[in-house]
Amino acid sequence: MTWATLNLMPVLPEIWLLCAASAIMLIDLFISDEQRDVTFLLTLVTLGVAGLLTANGYSLVPRPAFEGMVVADAMSDILKLGMYVGVGLVVIYGRSYAKARGIFRGEFFTLTLFALLGMMVMASSNNLLTLYVGLELLSLSLYALVAIQRDSATATEASMKYFVLGALASGMLLYGMSMIYGATGSLDLHVIAQHIAAGANRTLLVFGLVFLVAGIAFKLGNVPFHMWVPDVYQGAPTVVTMLLGSAPKLAAFAFVIRLLVVGLGALQKDWQGMLIVLAVLSLGIGNIVAISQTNIKRMFAYSTISHMGFLLLGILAGTAHGYAASMFYAIVYMLMAAAGFGSVMLLSRAGFEADNISDFKGLAKRSPWFALMVLFVMFSMAGIPVFSGFFAKLAVIQAVVEVGIKWLAVVAVIFSLIGAFYYLRVVKVMFMDEATDDAPLQVTLDMRLVLSANVLLILVLGLVPQPLLSLCYESVRQSLGML
């Protein structure tokens, strides 16, 4: 490998982020707690520059680097831009929340940036090795972030549980990858696809596929590998829960597409059946169990499980329309999850966690505008028309119908209707119940503006979904060579 074959330009955003995160880590050592806003601003500048570099390099033509181990293409560029937005929202929404709980420290920002770097590597990976490295960089950063409140027994327990189960899932992924490598003799996803088409050992491939799908299901939080999701969501500080539930879903989508579609596309009949089982279980268990939750973070956790079931619907369809629908779903879900957890932080203050649904009582009287914003988020998550969540669900269901799996579309619609109950319950609590807490909302101006813009974007994407859907379709078509 020479400098010429490295071709570093396509990975310039990743190089910038690595250098900037390292520099922020060093700078933070020399500033006091009162000057921590410097780290906050440097993090936002880092995200902004990374966004400019990615947008500047955007092209429909795939650009390989490191001799094809990573590739910058339209799909990865769009997903990375979404990740910057997601992480930027986490940093902005979490500013006051983290300050009030003593976690507004340098490690919060640097670990978040390293988690973002892991997501970016996953989005651009073209090789089993780089896929795994990106996944572990993301996972290790998140394990540490969940435990960032070192004095909290709940956060420490959640982190330990996440770490142990995450290590188990990583082991399954590695075992599956080793079998795929044993059957094909390569770590390169395109070479693996060629060997499978040429007739590699099918038994070994299918065994490897089973372990890979199990590992993917754990990372996505699909049933029956979902047991870590509610406990970690509830135990982690809300700002970390927001990070867990938003931008990494874009990386998870890229991970599944690279691994199953690019590398193991010839085994679609095999992984399609597995994904159908995971999707149905996730839609059912996620929506039904969410109904009984009184803690809103646990409710969002089970909601996430059901949304990941919807995400799989588009992928298992196995068409360009299906992949584009899932990509659109992942982007919309990232925005909805960010706004949802932002709402929880909106009502929290020093010494008070607004993590119960009852804490939203009477919000319409305390702040009609933010009650309306939360209503928009809940309606969108429930899939009510004119909001982007509705069109995201409609797109994946259409993809499933197009390939003839109509019964699965009916199941998805039924569970979506069941899921609407617990979202509408939050709306009822806000508008019909009397407030038990009359304390004024303590919200900074930047959070007020950004949260409002976040929610209005969810509405705008629902009113005019076609431009983003078309962009997703074109990027998937070009990146996966589905001409």
Side-chain angles (χ1 to χ4, degrees), residues 99-434:
K99 277 183 178 178
R101 285 151 189 80
I103 55 175
F104 195 67
R105 304 193 297 262
E107 52 263 43
F108 169 70
F109 297 102
T110 49
L111 283 170
T112 301
L113 289 177
F114 281 121
L116 173 61
L117 182 60
M119 295 179 220
M120 293 167 70
V121 172
M122 287 168 69
S124 287
S125 289
N126 210 17
N127 185 287
L128 293 180
L129 195 60
T130 48
L131 266 176
Y132 186 74
V133 168
L135 179 66
E136 285 306 294
L137 180 56
L138 169 64
S139 300
L140 290 172
S141 304
L142 291 179
Y143 299 151
L145 278 168
V146 171
I148 197 166
Q149 271 185 311
R150 288 172 295 209
D151 298 332
S152 167
T154 314
T156 309
E157 182 188 340
S159 177
M160 186 58 70
K161 192 174 289 184
Y162 190 26
F163 173 72
V164 171
L165 293 175
L168 181 67
S170 294
M172 285 193 289
L173 266 174
L174 270 184
Y175 196 54
M177 286 178 176
S178 68
M179 284 188 174
I180 300 295
Y181 176 73
T184 61
S186 176
L187 295 172
D188 187 285
L189 292 174
H190 290 288
V191 177
I192 287 172
Q194 290 168 6
H195 279 285
I196 294 174
N201 187 325
R202 181 172 167 74
T203 306
L204 196 54
L205 284 171
V206 173
F207 267 109
L209 179 64
V210 170
F211 282 99
L212 284 181
V213 171
I216 288 170
F218 177 89
K219 296 298 180 184
L220 282 173
N222 288 119
V223 179
F225 305 97
H226 66 293
M227 63 292 287
W228 63 274
V229 182
D231 293 342
V232 174
Y233 270 44
Q234 185 179 6
T238 306
V239 63
V240 177
T241 311
M242 179 183 169
L243 176 63
L244 275 166
S246 55
K249 303 306 180 195
L250 299 177
F253 166 79
F255 187 85
V256 178
I257 290 290
R258 299 286 184 200
L259 203 51
L260 295 187
V261 179
V262 177
L264 305 175
L267 300 177
Q268 187 195 335
K269 293 290 181 191
D270 298 289
W271 54 254
Q272 185 184 56
M274 298 180 203
L275 295 192
I276 288 176
V277 174
L278 292 174
V280 172
L281 289 176
S282 301
L283 289 168
I285 302 291
N287 281 311
I288 291 171
V289 180
I291 292 173
S292 63
Q293 302 305 313
T294 55
N295 182 292
I296 196 161
K297 286 164 72 177
R298 285 188 80 84
M299 190 198 86
F300 278 141
Y302 283 103
S303 156
T304 297
I305 293 168
S306 71
H307 282 291
M308 290 306 101
F310 267 103
L311 185 76
L312 290 183
L313 293 182
I315 296 172
L316 66 86
T319 61
H321 280 115
Y323 303 144
S326 283
M327 186 173 169
F328 180 78
Y329 199 102
I331 294 170
V332 167
Y333 179 73
M334 182 274 292
L335 292 170
M336 293 191 301
F341 287 110
S343 306
V344 177
M345 285 188 276
L346 180 82
L347 296 178
S348 301
R349 56 182 182 275
F352 176 69
E353 294 284 343
D355 52 4
N356 287 313
I357 294 175
S358 58
D359 294 325
F360 284 72
K361 280 183 177 178
L363 180 61
K365 292 179 181 171
R366 294 173 66 192
S367 174
W369 174 253
F370 283 112
L372 184 67
M373 294 294 100
V374 178
L375 178 143
F376 281 2
V377 174
M378 294 300 152
F379 275 17
S380 185
M381 282 192 172
I384 292 174
V386 311
F387 294 97
S388 51
F390 167 76
F391 287 99
K393 289 184 178 181
L394 181 66
V396 292
I397 289 172
Q398 280 178 334
V400 169
V401 171
E402 280 175 8
V403 295
I405 319 178
K406 294 177 182 172
W407 68 267
L408 186 55
V410 173
V411 169
V413 171
I414 291 172
F415 282 122
S416 182
L417 291 173
I418 293 173
F421 173 81
Y422 56 85
Y423 294 120
L424 296 179
R425 184 176 57 183
V426 178
V427 175
K428 175 254 177 192
V429 164
M430 287 190 304
F431 286 88
M432 297 184 183
D433 289 4
E434 286 298 322

Side-chain angles (χ1 to χ4, degrees), residues 60-79:
L60 289 176
V61 180
R63 290 144 285 140
F66 289 92
E67 294 193 337
M69 291 184 76
V70 295
V71 60
D73 51 25
M75 185 179 77
S76 65
D77 287 343
I78 293 170
L79 290 174

